[in-house]
Amino acid sequence: MTVVTDTRTSRRLSGKPRVHVTRRLLPAVEERMRELFDVVLNPEDRALTRDELVAAMRDSDVIVPTVTDRIDAQMLEEAGERLGLIANFGAGIEHIDLSAARARKVIVTNTPGVFTDDTADLTMMLILSVPRRLGEGARLVRDGKWSGWSPTSMLGHCLGGKRLGIVGMGRIGQAVAHRARAFGLEIVYHNRSRLAPAIENVFGAKYEPDLDRLFAEADIISLHAPAGAGTHHLVNAERIAAMKPGSYLINTARGHLIDEDALVAALQSGQLAGAGLDVFANEPQVDPRLIALPNVITLPHMGSATVEGRGHAGEKVIANIRFWVDGHRPPDQVLEGWV
C-alpha cells in the first residue's frame, strides 16, 4: 500500500485515490484507471443528476467531469472537505465554478490541445459543405426526390476568393485558418489580442479589431470564442442583420454564442444563405426550426469525436491525477496561486 501526500492541505491519503468518472470513457482509458486508482465508472454513460454529482464529490478525492456536468459553488460547498482535484475531461471549463473551486483549494485541470485538429477538421468540413449545399443534396437523394443532373440544379458557391472571418484565434481558430488557406479563402480574424506578425504571415491572416466590421465584411463567419458572460449571444440580431446577404455562419464552439431566434429568422428570410452548427443553446435539445431548415447542417456536438482525440484526452486526465497524487503540480492545472 502506498501513502501519498496531498500538497494542497498537507493531508495524507492512504492507498489509491478514490476517483469518480462521471461519463463513460474509452475502454483502454478506463482499464488504465482501474489499474492506478480506486475508480468509480459510469458504464451506462448516463448524465448524473445534481445530487449524484454532489454525492460523488463527497465520496471522492478526485472527480472527472465533462462538459455535461455543471459544478457550481453550492455543489462544491456541499461536497465537503475530501475532494481535492477536479480533473476535467475536455478543454472547456465553463461548466465549473473556478472561483468557488479556488476558494475551497480544489485544484482544477483540463485537457488542452488534444481536440484542436479534430475540431478544426470538422469546422473545415462545414465551411466546405454549407456553401456547396451538401446537406441539401444528401437529403434530396436520401428522400428519393432527385430527378437527375441539370446545369442549374443544386447550385452552391465556390470558396476560392471568399473572405472567412474567424472569431477567436486560439489553437482551433489558427488550425482552421491553416486549413482554409489551402482552399483559397482570405483569412480575417478578431481576437482579444492581435497575434504576432510572424504568426499572421503563416496563415496569411489579417487582424480586424472591430468585431462588427468583421461580421459586416465576411462571406463566412466561423466561431471559436470561449463561452462566458462576455460572449453570451455574441452573435445577436444586430450583428446577423449586418452580415452580407447570402453569407454563412459556422459554429463548432459553444451554442450560447448565438441568439438562435435571430439566427432562425435570418435563415428563414434569406438574409443568411446557410449555417453549419455542431453546438446548440439547449443541448441535447435542438430548436426544431433549425432542423427543419434545408440550408442548415446540424450535428450532435461531434467536433472532438475521434478515437484518437478522446484517447489522448483520457491520457491527459490520468497524467494530471498522477501528478497530483505524487505531490506535484498537475501539468494542465487551470488556476494559479494555490497554497
Side-chain angles (χ1 to χ4, degrees):
M1 176 177 292
T2 59
V3 178
V4 294
T5 300
D6 179 352
T7 59
R8 183 182 56 87
T9 62
S10 298
R11 283 191 292 119
R12 294 181 68 81
L13 305 176
S14 297
K16 295 179 178 180
R18 179 80 160 179
V19 177
H20 199 116
V21 183
T22 66
R23 299 300 297 264
R24 189 172 184 181
L25 305 181
L26 292 184
V29 173
E30 292 188 340
E31 182 58 32
R32 184 60 173 152
M33 286 184 165
R34 288 190 188 96
E35 295 172 358
L36 295 170
F37 314 129
D38 174 17
V39 66
V40 178
L41 300 172
N42 183 357
E44 295 84 16
D45 198 31
R46 177 180 59 83
L48 301 184
T49 66
R50 182 187 187 282
D51 289 343
E52 288 172 331
L53 281 170
V54 170
M57 290 189 288
R58 187 181 295 127
D59 187 46
S60 303
D61 303 298
V62 181
I63 190 167
V64 181
T66 73
V67 69
T68 63
D69 303 306
R70 174 66 183 167
I71 299 177
D72 58 33
Q74 184 60 40
M75 294 169 68
L76 286 165
E77 182 71 25
E78 295 174 17
E81 297 298 324
R82 182 173 183 178
L83 183 70
L85 174 65
I86 300 174
N88 188 62
F89 181 92
I93 37 78
E94 68 274 6
H95 54 291
I96 302 169
D97 190 322
L98 299 179
S99 296
R102 181 171 187 172
R104 296 189 62 79
K105 298 184 174 63
V106 176
I107 292 176
V108 179
T109 62
N110 64 346
T111 61
V114 294
F115 299 138
T116 297
D117 286 333
D118 298 332
T119 305
D121 286 346
L122 185 127
T123 302
M124 197 65 223
M125 181 192 75
L126 290 172
I127 291 172
L128 291 166
S129 299
V130 175
R132 290 298 304 272
R133 302 174 64 184
L134 263 66
E136 296 174 70
R139 188 178 304 180
L140 195 68
V141 174
R142 184 188 62 210
D143 294 345
K145 296 180 179 179
W146 183 46
S147 59
W149 183 90
S150 77
T152 57
S153 68
M154 292 305 301
L155 296 180
H157 290 278
C158 66
L159 292 184
K162 300 295 192 300
R163 179 173 293 179
L164 173 64
I166 297 177
V167 181
M169 200 66 159
R171 290 187 183 94
I172 297 174
Q174 291 180 37
V176 170
H178 174 70
R179 288 154 173 76
R181 190 179 187 188
F183 287 90
L185 284 157
E186 177 188 350
I187 311 299
V188 183
Y189 75 96
H190 177 84
N191 204 44
R192 285 177 291 184
S193 57
R194 183 172 183 173
L195 301 178
I199 298 177
E200 290 182 344
N201 290 339
V202 168
F203 306 119
K206 177 184 176 183
Y207 177 59
E208 175 51 72
D210 188 332
L211 182 59
D212 292 329
R213 183 179 299 165
L214 182 76
F215 271 81
E217 296 182 354
D219 299 295
I220 305 167
I221 292 286
S222 186
L223 302 178
H224 304 285
T231 57
H232 182 78
H233 284 185
L234 179 79
V235 184
N236 54 27
E238 291 75 17
R239 286 201 171 110
I240 292 175
M243 292 175 68
K244 288 182 178 180
S247 55
Y248 303 92
L249 181 64
I250 308 296
N251 188 13
T252 58
R254 289 291 185 263
H256 289 290
L257 297 178
I258 298 176
D259 179 341
E260 289 186 351
D261 287 332
L263 175 61
V264 168
L267 289 164
Q268 290 176 337
S269 70
Q271 166 68 17
L272 295 184
L277 308 172
D278 187 43
V279 289
F280 306 91
N282 299 303
E283 297 181 15
Q285 285 74 40
V286 180
D287 191 319
R289 296 173 298 173
L290 289 171
I291 297 173
L293 286 166
N295 54 343
V296 179
I297 294 178
T298 53
L299 301 176
H301 201 150
M302 57 187 288
S304 65
T306 68
V307 172
E308 295 84 356
R310 298 285 169 86
H312 292 157
E315 292 166 3
K316 271 188 170 284
V317 167
I318 291 172
N320 283 320
I321 296 172
R322 295 189 72 183
F323 267 76
W324 178 76
V325 168
D326 289 341
H328 303 299
R329 175 178 174 174
D332 300 309
Q333 184 172 334
V334 174
L335 298 180
E336 302 290 340
W338 300 99
V339 295

